[in-house]
Amino acid sequence: MPFAKDHPLLLPEVCLHISRFVTPKDAILYARVCKAWSDAFTSVVWHTVDFDAQERFINVDPSTVKKHGHRIRNIKGINDIRHLMVLQHPSICKLSALSIVMPAKASQAYCGDLLRQNAASITFLDISAVIQEDGLSSLAFPFDVVFLPPGIQSASRLTVLKIRDLSMTRNGFASLLRKCPSLKILHMYDVKLWSTSHINAFRHNMLTELEGPLKQVFRPNLEPLGPSILVHFPCLRSLYVSCAETPSARRSIYMRDQITRFCPLLSQVGLEMSVSFSTSLLSQTFQSLTSITVSKLSGSVITAILSHRETLTDISTLIPSYGYYTLKDVPELDTEQPTVFGWELQLIPQTCHLLKVLELPTYEMDVDDIEKTRWTCTKLEELYVRIRGLDTEEQIDRATDLWVYFRTMSQHSDGPHPLGASDDVTVKALCQENSIETRVARHLASFEKLTLVWLAPCHSPRIILSSYQSWPFIVAVSSLSRTPYPAHEFARRGTILSPRPFALRQRTVCKLSSLSVLLLSRHGFQEHCGDLLRQNAATLTTLDIRAKVLDGEISQESFPLDAISPPMENRATSRLTILKIGHLSLTRNGFSSLLRMCPALKRLSMNDVALLTTPCFEPYQHMGLMELDAPIDQVFIPDTGLFGGPSILAHFPRLQAFNTRLTERLSHVPYGDMRDQIKRYCPFLEGVGIDTPEIVSTSLLTDTFQTLTCITVRELSSNVILAILAHQGTLESLSTVRLQDYDEEQFLQLRVEQPSVTGQELQLIPHRCARLTTLALPQFEMGIEEVEKAGWSCTDLTDLYIRIRELNTPMKIDRAIKFWVYWRIFEHPSSAPIGAISYGNSIEERVARHLARFQRLQKVWLGRFILRTSLQGLERTFSSVVWHSIDFKAQKKFTDVDPAAVRKHGHHIRVIKDVKKGSHLQVLHNPSVCRLSKLSILVSPEASFQAYCGDFLRQNAASVTELCIEARRESSLVFPFDAVCIPIGSQATSKLSDLMIRRFQMTRDGLSSLLKMCPVLKSLCMTEVTLFNTSCYEPYQHTGLVEVGASLEQLFGLNADSTSSTDLSILVHFPRLELIRIWCSTASPVLPLSDMKTKVAQFCPRLSSVDLHGSSVVITSLLAQVFRWLSWIDVDTLSSGVIMAILGHQATLQGLRMAIPFRDYYQQDEVPELDQRQPTVSGWELQLIPQTCSRLVCMYIPFYEMDIDVIETTRWTCIELEDLFIRIRGLDTKDKIGRVMQLWVDYRKSLEEERGSCSEECTSSTSMDVDVDVESLLLGNSIEERVARLLVRFQGLRRVWLGHKIMYIDQNGGTPRWSGSSPPALY
């Protein structure tokens, strides 16, 4: 039966999910089911091509490869030219993994093509060469795989690289590392590295694992001798080496020096070598290791291993084969292994107290030896050993089952057996049993954190996973070649799929800002909950914690006070501002401690919290808490102990808002006592929320609370309204719902049953309460006649939430709001658009007239949605705001606007952009459009266009301050001097300050005339402007112009009709020029650099800033040989040459900035990707800029990542730095960047407070003293704290960008904030 079209199995997402679990053989069958399944399952069939297993693939038709080649992701076993020939198609361009043996030289071209077309996508590469008869490879490493083709903007994604039997130079090796910024794992075997006279020691800060022969690592070069390749890997953590020789003691010491010098972070080693060599390396070469893997154990190796016992967490031996852990039969022990006594093996777990993983699968332990010693590794998590006597699968099953049983019984005293054991087997009997299985199980159960155990190859490993369910559950580890989900996904599902067993470790959740917890009495839950609270104590701002109890019972669960305060090692204080507690108990002293731990607490909610009073009780007064939400009996009769205590209001002397309700346990409400306690403890109380019946609400408002400004009640009635009017002299806010607890969309559903209230009674509230600013009665309907008769006296009303009886449809509500807005905008109906408002008597117009009486009204809700608007001053500015800017590109329909409207409002227009057509000029051809300040126009060669353009430019010549005017390509138009010429008879002068000209023609005299017409001109940009010489030419010098931009040829080259290079540069016109912008489209300067240098020195002595756009060669040449002593440099790109040229201005340089692609680049919501088109610059080269430019104030380098390790090894001399816009490797998320900013602000405040408390002598300390103070404040080694350590050293730093938004600190003591505008930059 065919599937329906909407069947779930036909959905592409479902098909893709199913395809992850099928084998290629099954996928062939599924792909033939239907067309909907074909695409998903065909991708599985073509995902991997293995020439070793699929020999017939070389016979596949080329058209088939062309059709499905884009699906191939993994290729293995390429070792023949026929394999390469069948893969020669452009569609195979998305490989992620490739394993290839490079054939003879004749077929390297095919190999290069395959590598090049997949260079941007490969993440795993295993590449080797065929060995020649002489034992050496004649093939060089194919750098095609890392040098991406032109046009590809992304960097190489290669993370794992395996090289064998290839050759390259040491500088080529450095280039390989530089082109693979994401490389993490490198395997090198028999790679020939040829040294050169100068070795480029590029340092790759991402690579953490290196594997290869010992000689390859420490003696890599053929001739001449060079340093170890470890010099390239400062962040190396794992090193796996092999060697067949026995080294001398001198060589071991040499290797130790190399590791200490180049790889200080190395902590994990793997050694595949002889016993004597392993002993020598472990005892003399490596220090403080955390993980050791050896091929063989002996007494001497174990002794060497024990030298690392204070740091060692992982010990393992190499297994004979990949599938050793899943063999069906128990193999015989390797007789070639050195003899190791049982007591020697016991030394490892006996002395290594930090051990977490013990993996000795090829050695047998005796349970007698185990019981005689005491294993100190209490944190053991994984154990791979063989026990003498456990020889069958039945014995191993029983041992592991008993281990699980003992483990479970130690955690749960009652309940059913988790494994289904028989009833006659008791714990006591099992504990007294002395069988080999029971003894092993007892030993395993002594390790509380042990989660994975392997006892023999014939048995799958057992894993115990912690769970909040009634019992732990047990899963077996199996082998699967293709795992579609990561490990933590399988852990959640209760299944683990992995080629090798591993233990599950929970991720650290340490940055929560909001948390809601329901405490359960289940065993272990509260311990885990306490851990979660403790590790988030420094970041939580909102916490809702309750216990689950039966109705009417008093809680027996205590509040976890220890989980609220940050740890002692964390210097931050609690940020908790909102705390909700329910059904928990604590003493009054504990309650005071809770308040003391939360200095930032603003709002506290308590529900059925049992407070136990002690004989000695001193209430702590929290000066920051402003709002309390609790039942009446909880507040005024809080204590349940033998000793009475005061109201909890005694803790809150600054309380301003109190929300309360009535519980069934309170039989009598002590109104008089409550009034006395409020008057005594909370003199500033001015707002209440009462969720009680009508009688109680009336009594509370009348007898308990006095002079309230804000009232929220659940019910309104005649008596409640009269009680509210008792506060009419001070009342500013009245509502029947808590507005902060509802979204504006939810007001549509608020239809609560209320007591009958007449319209006249409702009108008493706005009529008598003259100070009312907020009125929210969304459950009641008012009649417009009653509203108009009442005469509301609350003229300062700002928020209004009411219903009008006749406004019962969304259309009517929208029309009433529209009328109100227009009424407020236009003081007279005649100034409003036709039909906008009138003096009619419709319900909408009457409501609008009523709303318009309140000049400060900002929020209005009439039953549909909340209209938020600020209308103050809008009457005078609305039209000017609407007509201020005209953009014909965005407002294409503006050409259809009525000429009468343009005549009426044309004087409001200030900015016009993108004028390109005659229709644009015709709609603007009105004398009222005469006050433009900014204009952008593209001039066409048509006579009609130029006529309209001339008129338009002339009538705005006296007001335009910024003008961008360009001609169409190949139009040969002369510059329209009308744009700047003031009409005859006008006494005004041109206000033009910024002028951009493009593709126009003019003479040199015309340029002088243009400059004369613009006396206040500050900036001039000329691109593709043709200048003609005249017979008599006197250059006019404009002393006000300080910024000019033009092409390199335009500034220094020939004129259009010149025949020599002796003509005066246009720089002669600008004697006070300070900034030059230069564009160059050629790869190198076409004019003599010496001539340009002479002209700059002769005509522009004040030049101090440049903005250069072009190739790195051009920028380097200009900075190094043309300009001198620059204080500000803007460039398009950075390179080694550019940086060296910049350093030529280090004595005067104050600002360095790279041009950003668009204006809001620094204000993006997400962290932008790095621009891969930029040339590669090493980390130490970037550090030369802040290290040598001591006067640097602003540094904007957003397209290169700096390494914090490199930064910390250098010393930035720019102590006056104010603006810093850089990227740090590792800060790649908004959360990390936000934490750095918060740490910087916090530490900055701490330093200022510490500096303020010191004497004047301490205040005038040097910057080195400040660094000492910073070190005392920042003790952590996380990337965030290390970056914050860098920032806080610069006392004048005010703006920082690290990849997401700009943090701004006011030097005058203002509050730090995220800046809403980008710094001045070029786009």
Side-chain angles (χ1 to χ4, degrees):
M1 178 178 179
F3 289 147
K5 293 184 178 181
D6 57 348
H7 195 280
L9 290 178
L10 298 180
L11 296 176
E13 296 83 359
V14 177
C15 294
L16 181 62
H17 185 74
I18 296 174
S19 68
R20 295 176 178 177
F21 300 93
V22 302
T23 62
K25 184 177 181 180
D26 294 335
I28 296 176
L29 301 176
Y30 298 155
R32 299 174 180 176
V33 172
C34 62
K35 291 183 179 180
W37 280 28
S38 176
D39 186 69
F41 292 99
T42 303
S43 298
V44 177
V45 176
W46 285 85
H47 182 274
T48 301
V49 176
D50 189 349
F51 286 98
D52 294 333
Q54 305 166 351
E55 298 179 356
R56 292 188 298 175
F57 190 85
I58 58 176
N59 300 324
V60 174
D61 188 81
S63 61
T64 306
V65 177
K66 177 181 178 180
K67 180 179 179 181
H68 299 289
H70 65 282
R71 306 178 190 272
I72 301 177
R73 295 295 181 268
N74 186 2
I75 298 181
K76 304 177 183 178
I78 299 178
N79 54 21
D80 191 276
I81 189 173
R82 294 176 298 172
H83 300 164
L84 291 171
M85 293 294 294
V86 75
L87 298 173
Q88 287 299 307
H89 199 278
S91 64
I92 305 177
C93 59
K94 297 180 181 180
L95 294 182
S96 60
L98 177 63
S99 177
I100 182 172
V101 178
M102 293 185 63
K105 289 185 177 181
S107 58
Q108 286 187 41
Y110 298 110
C111 180
D113 291 343
L114 179 64
L115 291 173
R116 274 189 296 272
Q117 67 193 22
N118 290 279
S121 60
I122 286 182
T123 60
F124 175 90
L125 176 63
D126 185 354
I127 184 168
S128 59
V130 177
I131 303 299
Q132 305 298 323
E133 295 180 358
D134 56 1
L136 296 176
S137 170
S138 59
L139 296 182
F141 180 81
F143 288 92
D144 315 72
V145 72
V146 292
F147 287 84
L148 301 184
I152 297 181
Q153 300 180 2
S154 59
S156 173
R157 299 179 181 178
L158 201 62
T159 57
V160 180
L161 176 60
K162 298 183 179 181
I163 313 173
R164 184 186 295 270
D165 300 317
L166 292 171
S167 63
M168 67 184 81
T169 65
R170 283 299 296 269
N171 287 339
F173 183 62
S175 299
L176 169 65
L177 297 177
R178 182 180 287 109
K179 293 299 181 180
C180 302
S182 303
L183 193 64
K184 296 183 181 299
I185 300 174
L186 176 62
H187 293 186
M188 299 175 62
Y189 285 93
D190 297 330
V191 177
K192 314 306 177 186
L193 294 180
W194 300 93
S195 249
T196 55
S197 57
H198 172 71
I199 294 178
N200 183 0
F202 170 76
R203 295 189 175 186
H204 197 293
N205 295 314
M206 294 297 293
L207 195 138
T208 59
E209 180 180 323
L210 176 64
E211 180 177 331
L214 194 71
K215 185 177 180 180
Q216 183 80 72
V217 175
F218 292 97
R219 298 273 183 172
N221 302 329
L222 297 177
E223 291 293 340
L225 187 63
S228 165
I229 64 173
L230 296 179
V231 68
H232 300 283
F233 313 122
C235 296
L236 190 68
R237 296 182 183 274
S238 303
L239 177 62
Y240 301 94
V241 292
S242 59
C243 184
E245 303 174 359
T246 302
S248 62
R250 182 179 178 182
R251 187 176 178 186
S252 299
I253 296 175
Y254 164 76
M255 290 188 290
R256 181 189 62 194
D257 296 338
Q258 294 277 304
I259 292 173
T260 304
R261 179 182 178 186
F262 300 128
C263 304
L265 302 179
L266 186 65
S267 60
Q268 303 175 12
V269 297
L271 307 176
E272 187 176 1
M273 54 192 65
S274 64
V275 169
S276 58
F277 201 172
S278 299
T279 304
S280 178
L281 291 181
L282 290 175
S283 59
Q284 300 182 31
T285 302
F286 302 108
Q287 299 176 356
S288 303
L289 296 177
T290 61
S291 176
I292 297 176
T293 301
V294 294
S295 56
K296 300 177 181 179
L297 279 181
S298 68
S300 59
V301 172
I302 292 176
T303 303
I305 288 174
L306 296 183
S307 63
H308 306 271
R309 60 182 177 274
E310 296 299 328
T311 57
L312 200 58
T313 61
D314 188 335
I315 298 177
S316 60
T317 57
L318 296 178
I319 56 178
S321 61
Y322 181 77
Y324 184 78
Y325 287 116
T326 56
L327 294 176
K328 295 182 179 180
D329 299 323
V330 181
E332 296 294 334
L333 291 175
D334 189 359
T335 56
E336 297 181 359
Q337 293 281 0
T339 302
V340 181
F341 296 104
W343 64 269
E344 290 177 320
L345 287 176
Q346 297 307 310
L347 289 176
I348 298 175
Q350 184 180 1
T351 59
C352 301
H353 62 280
L354 297 179
L355 201 62
K356 295 183 179 179
V357 178
L358 180 60
E359 186 176 359
L360 308 175
T362 56
Y363 294 88
E364 267 190 343
M365 291 187 178
D366 195 311
V367 71
D368 296 327
D369 296 334
I370 294 175
E371 291 177 342
K372 289 178 183 179
T373 60
R374 177 181 175 268
W375 288 20
T376 61
C377 48
T378 57
K379 299 180 180 179
L380 194 65
E381 297 176 0
E382 301 180 29
L383 181 62
Y384 304 79
V385 296
R386 297 177 67 170
I387 305 296
R388 185 175 294 115
L390 291 182
D391 302 323
T392 64
E393 184 173 356
E394 291 76 11
Q395 289 179 313
I396 298 172
D397 280 338
R398 178 170 172 77
T400 53
D401 289 348
L402 288 174
W403 164 52
V404 173
Y405 183 78
F406 290 148
R407 178 75 170 269
T408 305
M409 289 300 101
S410 65
Q411 298 179 358
H412 304 273
S413 60
D414 53 359
H417 193 292
L419 301 177
S422 60
D423 297 335
D424 57 345
V425 179
T426 63
V427 179
K428 182 177 180 180
L430 287 174
C431 292
Q432 294 177 353
E433 186 180 335
N434 288 321
S435 64
I436 182 68
E437 299 93 331
T438 306
R439 296 167 67 188
V440 172
R442 277 201 299 266
H443 178 69
L444 297 179
S446 63
F447 303 99
E448 296 181 355
K449 296 187 177 181
L450 188 62
T451 56
L452 189 148
V453 171
W454 178 91
L455 297 177
C458 67
H459 192 267
S460 297
R462 282 293 176 91
I463 293 179
I464 289 185
L465 300 178
S466 298
S467 174
Y468 291 144
Q469 299 176 358
S470 299
W471 298 103
F473 57 94
I474 303 170
V475 295
V477 181
S478 60
S479 177
L480 187 65
S481 60
R482 184 178 177 222
T483 56
Y485 295 104
H488 61 84
E489 288 290 331
F490 289 102
R492 188 177 59 190
R493 299 162 192 265
T495 307
I496 300 177
L497 303 176
S498 172
R500 176 189 174 189
F502 57 88
L504 300 177
R505 297 175 175 88
Q506 294 181 351
R507 294 184 176 181
T508 303
V509 183
C510 58
K511 296 183 179 180
L512 295 181
S513 60
S514 180
L515 178 63
S516 179
V517 180
L518 178 62
L519 288 179
L520 304 177
S521 57
R522 188 174 297 160
H523 178 75
F525 185 92
Q526 296 186 26
E527 288 77 6
H528 291 286
C529 179
D531 292 341
L532 180 64
L533 289 172
R534 273 186 290 274
Q535 67 192 17
N536 290 278
T539 59
L540 278 176
T541 58
T542 302
L543 175 62
D544 184 359
I545 182 168
R546 295 167 292 154
K548 186 176 181 180
V549 295
L550 298 177
D551 295 337
E553 291 186 357
I554 299 177
S555 173
Q556 302 298 323
E557 301 290 341
S558 60
F559 185 88
L561 284 172
D562 59 330
I564 296 298
S565 179
M568 294 297 294
E569 61 270 16
N570 191 339
R571 297 197 173 191
T573 59
S574 174
R575 299 180 184 177
L576 202 62
T577 57
I578 300 176
L579 176 60
K580 300 180 180 180
I581 313 172
H583 306 292
L584 292 171
S585 63
L586 65 162
T587 65
R588 288 301 293 268
N589 286 334
F591 185 69
S592 293
S593 299
L594 170 63
L595 298 177
R596 187 178 289 108
M597 294 175 185
C598 306
L601 195 61
K602 300 294 183 184
R603 180 179 176 185
L604 175 63
S605 177
M606 301 173 63
N607 182 25
D608 290 341
V609 177
L611 295 180
L612 305 175
T613 303
T614 55
C616 298
F617 167 62
E618 293 182 5
Y620 170 78
Q621 292 187 330
H622 195 293
M623 307 303 292
L625 195 135
M626 301 296 179
E627 181 177 354
L628 175 64
D629 189 341
I632 293 177
D633 56 336
Q634 184 77 72
V635 175
F636 297 97
I637 315 174
D639 304 303
T640 59
L642 299 176
F643 306 93
S647 166
I648 64 172
L649 295 179
H651 298 276
F652 316 125
R654 298 293 179 90
L655 191 67
Q656 296 181 4
F658 174 39
N659 302 311
T660 188
R661 54 194 175 277
L662 198 61
T663 60
E664 297 178 358
R665 290 193 296 267
L666 187 63
S667 58
H668 172 68
V669 181
Y671 300 109
D673 294 341
M674 293 166 54
R675 180 182 64 243
D676 296 338
Q677 294 194 44
I678 291 174
K679 186 176 181 181
R680 177 182 178 184
Y681 298 125
C682 303
F684 298 99
L685 185 65
E686 58 184 19
V688 297
I690 305 173
D691 187 7
T692 59
E694 174 190 358
I695 299 176
V696 178
S697 299
T698 304
S699 301
L700 288 175
L701 291 173
T702 306
D703 302 329
T704 304
F705 303 108
Q706 300 177 355
T707 61
L708 295 176
T709 61
C710 178
I711 297 177
T712 300
V713 293
R714 185 182 70 182
E715 299 178 357
L716 272 185
S717 65
S718 302
N719 294 329
V720 173
I721 291 177
L722 294 178
I724 290 173
L725 295 180
H727 305 271
Q728 62 183 4
T730 57
L731 190 62
E732 297 179 359
S733 175
L734 173 65
S735 61
T736 56
V737 291
R738 297 181 58 177
L739 302 180
Q740 65 269 28
D741 291 343
Y742 295 94
D743 295 330
E744 55 186 271
E745 305 296 337
Q746 290 179 307
F747 282 109
L748 290 172
Q749 287 78 34
L750 288 180
R751 290 289 186 181
V752 181
E753 293 294 332
Q754 293 284 347
S756 176
V757 181
T758 63
Q760 294 179 353
E761 292 174 334
L762 286 177
Q763 298 306 313
L764 289 176
I765 299 173
H767 175 66
R768 294 190 180 181
C769 301
R771 302 183 61 180
L772 203 63
T773 59
T774 300
L775 180 61
L777 307 175
Q779 295 96 337
F780 299 90
E781 284 186 340
M782 299 182 180
I784 189 61
E785 294 85 4
E786 300 166 351
V787 172
E788 290 175 342
K789 292 179 182 179
W792 290 14
S793 62
C794 47
T795 56
D796 294 332
L797 198 64
T798 59
D799 298 358
L800 182 61
Y801 302 81
I802 61 172
R803 293 178 183 268
I804 302 299
R805 186 173 298 115
E806 294 80 1
L807 291 181
N808 50 14
T809 64
M811 185 179 298
K812 290 184 178 180
I813 295 173
D814 293 345
R815 195 160 181 259
I817 295 293
K818 180 180 179 181
F819 283 165
W820 167 57
V821 171
Y822 277 110
W823 193 285
R824 288 294 309 279
I825 289 173
F826 303 99
E827 295 180 354
H828 302 286
S830 59
S831 63
I834 298 176
I837 63 174
S838 64
Y839 287 100
N841 290 322
S842 65
I843 181 63
E844 299 91 340
E845 292 166 306
R846 294 169 69 183
V847 172
R849 278 199 297 271
H850 176 70
L851 298 178
R853 294 180 56 242
F854 307 101
Q855 300 296 323
R856 299 185 179 181
L857 194 58
Q858 297 180 2
K859 294 181 182 179
V860 173
W861 180 88
L862 298 177
R864 177 166 169 76
F865 59 87
I866 301 176
L867 177 65
R868 291 181 172 90
T869 179
S870 178
L871 299 177
Q872 295 182 358
L874 196 58
E875 298 85 349
R876 298 184 299 273
T877 60
F878 178 79
S879 296
S880 60
V881 170
V882 171
W883 288 84
H884 182 271
S885 300
I886 305 297
D887 188 350
F888 285 98
K889 185 176 182 179
Q891 304 168 343
K892 298 180 180 179
K893 294 185 178 181
F894 190 83
T895 55
D896 301 328
V897 173
D898 190 351
V902 177
R903 180 171 60 251
K904 179 179 180 180
H905 299 288
H907 63 282
H908 292 301
I909 302 177
R910 296 293 181 270
V911 179
I912 296 181
K913 301 178 183 178
D914 211 42
V915 178
K916 293 182 178 180
K917 301 179 181 179
S919 58
H920 298 167
L921 286 174
Q922 289 178 3
V923 74
L924 297 173
H925 194 264
N926 195 289
S928 64
V929 187
C930 59
R931 299 181 183 180
L932 294 184
S933 60
K934 297 180 182 180
L935 175 62
S936 173
I937 186 170
L938 177 65
V939 181
S940 297
E942 292 84 6
S944 59
F945 188 98
Q946 295 188 40
Y948 284 114
C949 179
D951 292 342
F952 187 66
L953 291 173
R954 278 188 292 272
Q955 70 190 22
N956 289 279
S959 61
V960 169
T961 59
E962 296 181 20
L963 175 62
C964 176
I965 182 170
E966 57 179 314
R968 295 190 181 274
R969 294 186 180 274
E970 301 178 357
S971 58
S972 301
L973 294 180
V974 178
F975 180 78
F977 291 91
D978 310 312
V980 293
C981 182
I982 304 299
I984 299 177
S986 176
Q987 299 180 358
T989 58
S990 173
K991 298 180 181 179
L992 196 62
S993 59
D994 295 322
L995 176 61
M996 179 177 178
I997 310 172
R998 190 176 187 185
R999 303 194 194 101
F1000 280 99
Q1001 298 178 354
M1002 67 178 73
T1003 63
R1004 292 298 294 267
D1005 285 335
L1007 178 61
S1008 294
S1009 300
L1010 173 63
L1011 296 176
K1012 289 179 183 178
M1013 295 176 186
C1014 306
V1016 296
L1017 192 64
K1018 300 293 183 184
S1019 175
L1020 173 63
C1021 181
M1022 301 172 59
T1023 56
E1024 301 179 43
V1025 175
T1026 305
L1027 292 179
F1028 297 93
N1029 272 338
T1030 54
S1031 56
C1032 297
Y1033 170 61
E1034 293 183 4
Y1036 170 78
Q1037 292 188 331
H1038 196 295
T1039 57
L1041 195 140
V1042 296
E1043 178 181 336
V1044 67
S1047 64
L1048 189 65
E1049 298 80 7
Q1050 188 78 65
L1051 285 173
F1052 301 100
L1054 304 175
N1055 296 320
D1057 56 350
S1058 298
T1059 58
S1060 67
S1061 60
T1062 59
D1063 295 290
L1064 292 176
S1065 166
I1066 65 172
L1067 296 179
V1068 69
H1069 299 279
F1070 318 122
R1072 298 190 177 183
L1073 193 66
E1074 298 176 2
L1075 169 62
I1076 290 183
R1077 286 190 174 91
I1078 299 177
W1079 290 269
C1080 183
S1081 58
T1082 58
S1084 60
V1086 296
L1087 300 174
L1089 296 175
S1090 58
D1091 292 348
M1092 291 189 283
K1093 179 179 180 181
T1094 302
K1095 292 179 181 180
V1096 170
Q1098 179 182 358
F1099 301 129
C1100 306
R1102 297 189 178 187
L1103 186 66
S1104 61
S1105 304
V1106 295
D1107 178 16
L1108 307 178
H1109 301 266
S1111 65
S1112 59
V1113 177
V1114 173
I1115 295 175
T1116 302
S1117 302
L1118 294 178
L1119 289 177
Q1121 303 184 47
V1122 177
F1123 303 108
R1124 297 178 58 192
W1125 314 119
L1126 295 176
S1127 62
W1128 193 281
I1129 297 176
D1130 287 280
V1131 293
D1132 267 342
T1133 183
L1134 283 180
S1135 66
S1136 301
V1138 173
I1139 292 178
M1140 293 299 107
I1142 291 173
L1143 297 183
H1145 307 268
Q1146 59 184 349
T1148 57
L1149 190 63
Q1150 297 181 6
L1152 174 63
R1153 178 171 53 196
M1154 295 186 68
I1156 56 179
F1158 50 91
R1159 183 177 299 274
D1160 294 328
Y1161 181 84
Y1162 293 118
Q1163 299 299 330
Q1164 299 182 74
D1165 292 332
E1166 301 296 333
V1167 178
E1169 296 289 338
L1170 292 175
D1171 190 354
Q1172 302 299 333
R1173 296 172 296 181
Q1174 296 286 348
T1176 302
V1177 180
S1178 62
W1180 66 268
E1181 291 175 325
L1182 287 176
Q1183 296 307 308
L1184 290 175
I1185 299 173
Q1187 185 180 0
T1188 59
C1189 301
S1190 58
R1191 300 186 62 186
L1192 199 64
V1193 177
C1194 302
M1195 184 166 65
Y1196 301 85
I1197 308 179
F1199 305 123
Y1200 292 91
E1201 277 188 334
M1202 294 186 178
D1203 195 309
I1204 190 62
D1205 295 327
V1206 181
I1207 294 175
E1208 290 176 341
T1209 57
T1210 60
R1211 179 178 177 270
W1212 288 18
T1213 60
C1214 47
I1215 58 176
E1216 298 179 359
L1217 198 64
E1218 295 180 3
D1219 288 8
L1220 182 62
F1221 289 62
I1222 60 174
R1223 298 284 294 272
I1224 302 293
R1225 186 175 291 115
L1227 294 182
D1228 49 2
T1229 64
K1230 295 188 290 185
D1231 294 339
K1232 290 183 178 180
I1233 296 173
R1235 185 168 185 265
V1236 171
M1237 297 300 188
Q1238 187 61 48
L1239 287 174
W1240 172 47
V1241 171
D1242 293 342
Y1243 299 148
R1244 180 82 168 256
K1245 291 180 180 179
S1246 301
L1247 279 179
E1248 291 175 355
E1249 293 173 0
E1250 182 180 357
R1251 194 178 297 113
S1253 62
C1254 296
S1255 61
E1256 296 180 359
E1257 181 180 0
C1258 181
T1259 304
S1260 59
S1261 61
T1262 62
S1263 61
M1264 187 61 67
D1265 296 331
V1266 175
D1267 290 346
V1268 175
D1269 293 337
V1270 173
E1271 295 295 335
S1272 65
L1273 286 172
L1274 304 175
L1275 301 177
N1277 287 322
S1278 66
I1279 181 68
E1280 297 89 343
E1281 291 171 301
R1282 294 168 70 187
V1283 175
R1285 237 190 331 256
L1286 169 71
L1287 300 180
V1288 79
R1289 291 176 181 172
F1290 304 100
Q1291 299 181 29
L1293 197 60
R1294 60 188 180 91
R1295 286 198 297 186
V1296 175
W1297 179 88
L1298 298 176
H1300 179 253
K1301 299 297 179 67
I1302 304 170
M1303 174 59 76
Y1304 175 76
I1305 290 185
D1306 189 357
Q1307 298 299 321
N1308 297 325
T1311 303
R1313 66 181 186 276
W1314 294 101
S1315 177
S1317 60
S1318 297
L1322 301 174
Y1323 311 101

